[in-house]
Amino acid sequence: MATREKESVNLGVSDRVIHNLSDSLIEFASVMRKDKDLQIMFFPEGPSLEELPYRVKDNFLDLHPPLDPHEALVAADRCYFCYEAPCVTSCPTDIDIPLFIRQIATGTPEASAKTILAQNILGGMCARVCPTETLCEEACVREIAEGKPVDIGRLQRFATDTLMQTGEHPFVRQAETGKTVAVVGAGPAGLACAHRLAMHGHAVRISDANLKAGGLNEFGIAAYKSTNEFAASEVDWLLKIGGIELDLGKTLGKDIYLEGLLEDFDAVFLGMGLGGVNELGLSGEEKDHVIDAVSFIHNLRQTKDLSTLPVGRHVVVIGGGMTAVDAAVQSKLLGAQNVHLVYRRGRERMNASKYEQDIAASRGVNIITNAEPTRIIGNGAVQEIEFSYTVDGLLGLQRTDDTFRLKADQVFKAIGQSLTGVPSLLKIDGRKIAVSENGKTSHAKIWAGGDCASHGDDLTVTAVAQGRDAAEDIHRTLMA
């Protein structure tokens, strides 16, 4: 390996980039150097994405390419337009799916988009990231009868993209009411709440700890699921309704305080998500290159040149949810040689759907189940991680005496997040803000939704529904 690295450095590729790339790239670069018929490019400061013979960016193209107009008509023609359609009841935002598909079939995708966006203002992003395979498409009559559902997700994307590309915003803001609402969190729940409140004529200010709006859509979704900076474009499009002010880089409990918001605004909606990351609680967890998967995905989404993003050769991801799968797949796409995703229970207990598990496997991720980490081994930096096999039975999850080790130069923790910085005046349900119907909290002027609320379930579409419904309840309360 030392010889290969030396040859590659002679090409001008930096040590840092070599660490990021797989053995196959190094071998390819070596061949290029020896083949006098090939044109060799020299990179004194490391190659850019356009210059790399192995194009990292090509690994992050759309997971599901958009439908063209003809493909959309063919896909729409498969819908039975069911009465009391099961797909609708399976949609957290209650979109009239048969109607929007019929509108596509009749050649009016803009009208179709309005049907979608009236229920889900972030319908464009949800069309890309929503687990339709466990929601609307799983309930589709054609899935039950034939094993192949109507392509609802991509049809939704076709409609919303068609409208958004025109620059048109299909909703008109009502006359100003003179009421003001503070929204904390510029993620799916906060944006949906703010947009609905602005539609009703209220003045809304959204505060967020990040310097960009979008929340999970901007920072937490795998790059191959949301391409071409769609999340940022969708936020800009949403703000065209008017009446919404962004106040970014402001953290609740540090830069802004709930008590002050209650004095300055008529109502407050909390949709700031989960700021904390759960720790493994293991010996050696403090070693270098043991990081949380949320930060890794956050950095990846904000990196312009993916070839500069450090990734190990031997990556281990601990967890069984969507974040774990996203971290594992993207590590492989960045050039990691071996990627293991390890979950303490069986596959059927993983929060990541079977579809997401299959994506991981198809990208070369090795999924190991019924194993729990016991210690992290290394001298300064992680070198190995030890696991015990587990048994999940009547007595709960139990470790066995059988152990194994995995070579690791990078470990990602993806075992969930926790709520941080909650003011003491709110009741907590478990580890989240306690809410009742329509997001009402224990305080008469405060509502909450999304991951930070007790009814949240880590889905963009659910967060949108909760933000929308809380906005309607806030509006009724303010105008009573």
Side-chain angles (χ1 to χ4, degrees), residues 316 340-343 366-375 377 384-390 400-407:
V316 176
H340 298 281
L341 186 154
V342 187
Y343 179 57
N366 182 31
I367 299 177
I368 301 173
T369 56
N370 295 110
E372 191 170 46
T374 56
R375 63 183 177 130
I377 303 162
E384 291 183 312
I385 182 165
E386 185 176 88
F387 293 87
S388 290
Y389 285 108
T390 62
T400 69
D401 293 331
D402 293 331
T403 64
F404 66 94
R405 293 184 181 183
L406 291 175
K407 185 177 181 180

Side-chain angles (χ1 to χ4, degrees), residues 127-255:
R128 289 162 166 78
V129 305
C130 197
T132 54
E133 68 278 358
T134 62
L135 295 172
C136 56
E137 291 181 12
E138 183 180 60
C140 178
V141 171
R142 298 203 79 141
E143 164 65 19
I144 297 169
E146 305 168 10
K148 184 180 179 181
V150 175
D151 203 345
I152 298 171
R154 291 211 292 168
L155 284 169
Q156 179 169 313
R157 175 176 176 175
F158 172 76
T160 53
D161 283 3
T162 299
L163 177 65
M164 291 179 65
Q165 286 166 6
T166 69
E168 176 189 351
H169 193 88
F171 304 106
V172 177
R173 189 172 182 233
Q174 296 180 10
E176 294 188 10
T177 63
K179 302 293 185 180
T180 59
V181 181
V183 172
V184 181
L191 289 170
C193 181
H195 184 273
R196 186 57 61 101
L197 288 167
M199 281 180 59
H200 286 305
H202 307 302
V204 184
R205 189 184 78 184
I206 306 177
S207 301
D208 195 277
N210 290 303
L211 295 176
K212 290 178 70 175
L216 177 70
N217 292 351
E218 176 62 43
F219 300 102
I221 298 294
Y224 56 85
K225 295 179 181 177
S226 176
T227 60
N228 300 321
E229 299 188 359
F230 178 79
S233 298
E234 189 174 46
V235 170
D236 292 340
W237 175 85
L238 179 148
L239 294 176
K240 288 183 178 181
I241 188 67
I244 302 174
E245 172 193 358
L246 289 179
D247 184 33
L248 303 176
K250 301 295 177 63
T251 302
L252 184 66
K254 179 182 178 182
D255 306 298

Side-chain angles (χ1 to χ4, degrees), residues 93 120-123 125-126 129 183-196 206 208 213-221 231 234-235 238 269-273 449-451 458-469:
T93 52
N120 182 345
I121 195 59
L122 298 180
M125 179 60 77
C126 287
V129 305
V183 172
V184 181
L191 289 170
C193 181
H195 184 273
R196 186 57 61 101
I206 306 177
D208 195 277
L216 177 70
N217 292 351
E218 176 62 43
F219 300 102
I221 298 294
E234 189 174 46
V235 170
L238 179 148
F269 175 80
L270 300 178
M272 62 280 194
D451 291 349
D458 195 29
L459 288 178
T460 296
V461 66
T462 303
V464 170
Q466 291 175 350
R468 177 201 65 194
D469 294 346

Side-chain angles (χ1 to χ4, degrees), residues 370-438:
N370 295 110
E372 191 170 46
T374 56
R375 63 183 177 130
I376 297 171
I377 303 162
N379 183 16
V382 60
Q383 295 175 323
E384 291 183 312
I385 182 165
E386 185 176 88
F387 293 87
S388 290
Y389 285 108
T390 62
V391 175
D392 194 6
L394 295 176
L395 298 178
L397 189 70
Q398 294 182 308
R399 290 180 182 175
T400 69
D401 293 331
D402 293 331
T403 64
F404 66 94
R405 293 184 181 183
L406 291 175
K407 185 177 181 180
D409 53 16
Q410 193 169 41
V411 174
F412 293 123
K413 301 175 288 185
I415 57 171
Q417 293 181 262
S418 57
L419 186 63
T420 59
V422 180
S424 58
L425 54 84
L426 294 177
K427 289 184 179 180
I428 301 298
D429 181 3
R431 293 186 295 175
K432 296 186 177 185
I433 300 171
V435 295
S436 57
E437 187 179 2
N438 296 323

Side-chain angles (χ1 to χ4, degrees), residues 224-411:
Y224 56 85
K225 295 179 181 177
S226 176
T227 60
N228 300 321
E229 299 188 359
F230 178 79
S233 298
E234 189 174 46
V235 170
D236 292 340
W237 175 85
L238 179 148
L239 294 176
K240 288 183 178 181
I241 188 67
I244 302 174
E245 172 193 358
L246 289 179
D247 184 33
L248 303 176
K250 301 295 177 63
T251 302
L252 184 66
K254 179 182 178 182
D255 306 298
I256 55 174
Y257 297 88
L258 193 53
E259 293 79 6
L261 296 178
L262 290 171
E263 290 181 8
D264 297 338
F265 294 86
D266 297 304
V268 176
F269 175 80
L270 300 178
M272 62 280 194
L274 301 173
V277 178
N278 296 336
E279 300 292 335
L280 297 171
L282 298 179
S283 171
E285 190 170 353
E286 75 288 348
K287 295 187 183 299
D288 292 342
H289 310 310
V290 179
I291 62 176
D292 67 88
V294 172
S295 296
F296 169 67
I297 296 172
H298 182 287
N299 293 337
L300 191 155
R301 283 295 305 275
Q302 301 308 306
T303 299
K304 298 298 184 183
D305 185 347
L306 295 178
S307 70
T308 67
L309 192 66
V311 65
R313 294 189 185 280
H314 307 284
V315 176
V316 176
V317 181
I318 301 171
M322 299 287 283
T323 299
V325 168
D326 286 349
V329 171
Q330 290 181 113
S331 295
K332 194 68 177 174
L333 297 181
L334 285 169
Q337 182 177 345
N338 297 305
V339 179
H340 298 281
L341 186 154
V342 187
Y343 179 57
R344 60 181 180 160
R345 302 184 190 275
R347 280 207 181 201
E348 71 283 353
R349 299 288 297 275
M350 291 176 67
N351 285 334
S353 67
K354 183 181 182 302
Y355 175 77
E356 292 288 338
Q357 294 176 42
D358 290 344
I359 288 177
S362 71
R363 298 302 193 275
V365 175
N366 182 31
I367 299 177
I368 301 173
T369 56
N370 295 110
E372 191 170 46
T374 56
R375 63 183 177 130
I376 297 171
I377 303 162
N379 183 16
V382 60
Q383 295 175 323
E384 291 183 312
I385 182 165
E386 185 176 88
F387 293 87
S388 290
Y389 285 108
T390 62
V391 175
D392 194 6
L394 295 176
L395 298 178
L397 189 70
Q398 294 182 308
R399 290 180 182 175
T400 69
D401 293 331
D402 293 331
T403 64
F404 66 94
R405 293 184 181 183
L406 291 175
K407 185 177 181 180
D409 53 16
Q410 193 169 41
V411 174

